[in-house]
């Protein structure tokens, strides 16, 4: 039974510090349906934004971390506790106005967690293809906007491809990719409707 194999992960709690209008806020969640209730301008959308940010490392409201950090503060923090199959995982995201964000899983930086095989999915930029980053047990590599990747990045993907499934997305495939598809070295699917 395929549906019996699905493992459910849920958010147990979310703690915000110096995030948007919150100096500090903790929200506990239960399995199933949760309702966030409050008057206008009390920060309900900010809680949803923090969940989205914790899941994707991006805000749906803006692109700059400095806008997410509470006014008058230099740093903000999101701590999320997740549970899957009775195993609890802590994800920390440090937001800084002057530097890029930092992310850790159970106290380990993402790079170290990937090397140890402690992450199932990792989403990031071409930086993840650096020679100094090794993946112990990566199952899927998704390359968005393939046309932006250079030759060195694509050679690194080829090295990983022996053990990893690769999905590339592109609105404007480069000629080399089209050629590889035409001579059946590479499969291509075309989306023609939304």
């Amino acid at each position: 039974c395929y549906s019996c194999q699905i493992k459910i992960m849920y958010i147990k709690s979310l703690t915000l510090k110096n995030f948007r209008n919150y100096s500090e806020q903790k929200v506990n969640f239960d399995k199933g349906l949760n309702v966030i209730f409050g008057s206008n301008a009390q920060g309900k959308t900010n809680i949803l934004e923090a969940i989205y940010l914790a899941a994707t490392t991006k805000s749906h409201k803006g692109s700059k971390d400095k806008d997410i950090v509470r006014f008058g503060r230099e740093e903000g923090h999101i701590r999320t506790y997740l549970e899957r199959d009775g195993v609890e995982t802590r994800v920390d995201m440090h937001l800084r106005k002057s530097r890029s964000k930092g992310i850790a899983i159970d106290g380990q930086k993402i790079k170290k967690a990937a090397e140890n095989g402690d992450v199932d999915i990792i989403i990031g930029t071409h930086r993840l293809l650096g020679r100094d980053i090794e993946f112990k047990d990566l199952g899927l590599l998704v390359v968005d906007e393939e046309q932006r990747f250079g030759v060195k990045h694509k050679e690194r993907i080829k090295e990983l491809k022996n053990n990893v499934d690769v999905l590339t997305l592109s609105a404007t495939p480069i000629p080399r990719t089209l050629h590889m598809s035409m001579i059946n070295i590479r499969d291509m699917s075309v989306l023609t409707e939304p």
Side-chain angles (χ1 to χ4, degrees):
C1 164
Y2 175 75
S3 62
C4 298
Q5 298 173 6
I6 296 174
K7 296 180 180 182
I8 304 297
M9 178 184 293
Y10 79 98
I11 300 172
K12 287 184 73 171
S13 69
L14 178 75
T15 304
L16 308 174
K17 186 170 184 178
N18 295 327
F19 181 82
R20 294 281 187 194
N21 63 325
Y22 291 112
S23 57
E24 195 159 333
Q25 178 68 41
K26 182 172 183 179
V27 182
N28 293 312
F29 297 96
D30 293 319
K31 289 182 181 178
L33 178 65
N34 290 268
V35 177
I36 300 171
F37 178 79
S39 298
N40 287 339
Q42 295 302 304
K44 299 177 299 292
T45 304
N46 293 346
I47 290 172
L48 295 178
E49 179 184 21
I51 292 169
Y52 185 85
L53 187 65
T56 66
T57 72
K58 296 178 184 177
S59 168
H60 68 280
K61 291 173 95 177
S63 61
K64 297 181 179 163
D65 289 347
K66 69 179 184 175
D67 298 333
I68 295 169
V69 176
R70 183 177 169 91
F71 182 76
R73 303 291 183 195
E74 287 300 310
E75 294 186 0
H77 186 250
I78 299 172
R79 174 169 283 169
T80 311
Y81 281 96
L82 307 167
E83 186 174 306
R84 179 177 165 188
D85 292 339
V87 177
E88 189 174 277
T89 302
R90 185 185 83 223
V91 179
D92 290 297
M93 182 176 293
H94 302 279
L95 306 164
R96 302 172 187 102
K97 285 189 174 184
S98 58
R99 296 187 322 194
S100 63
K101 66 180 71 73
I103 303 170
I105 299 173
D106 288 333
Q108 292 184 73
K109 290 185 177 181
I110 292 289
K111 179 180 168 187
K112 190 71 173 167
E115 290 171 353
N116 292 339
D118 293 333
V119 292
D120 295 323
I121 299 171
I122 190 164
I123 300 168
T125 65
H126 61 280
R127 174 66 182 95
L128 294 174
L129 298 173
R131 294 270 176 217
D132 61 327
I133 298 179
E134 294 294 325
F135 300 101
K136 182 176 180 183
D137 190 20
L138 185 65
L140 174 65
L141 173 66
V142 179
V143 177
D144 195 3
E145 297 187 22
E146 178 196 26
Q147 69 276 9
R148 294 180 185 240
F149 281 60
V151 173
K152 288 181 182 178
H153 299 122
K154 291 185 179 174
E155 292 301 319
R156 178 72 170 131
I157 290 169
K158 276 190 209 171
E159 291 173 15
L160 292 170
K161 208 172 178 178
N162 294 332
N163 302 321
V164 177
D165 291 324
V166 179
L167 172 65
T168 58
L169 309 170
S170 180
T172 55
I174 59 173
R176 180 178 172 202
T177 301
L178 288 171
H179 181 262
M180 290 170 71
S181 175
M182 292 172 70
I183 61 173
N184 293 327
I185 293 176
R186 208 169 162 178
D187 292 329
M188 181 179 286
S189 299
V190 179
L191 301 178
T192 57
E193 295 180 22

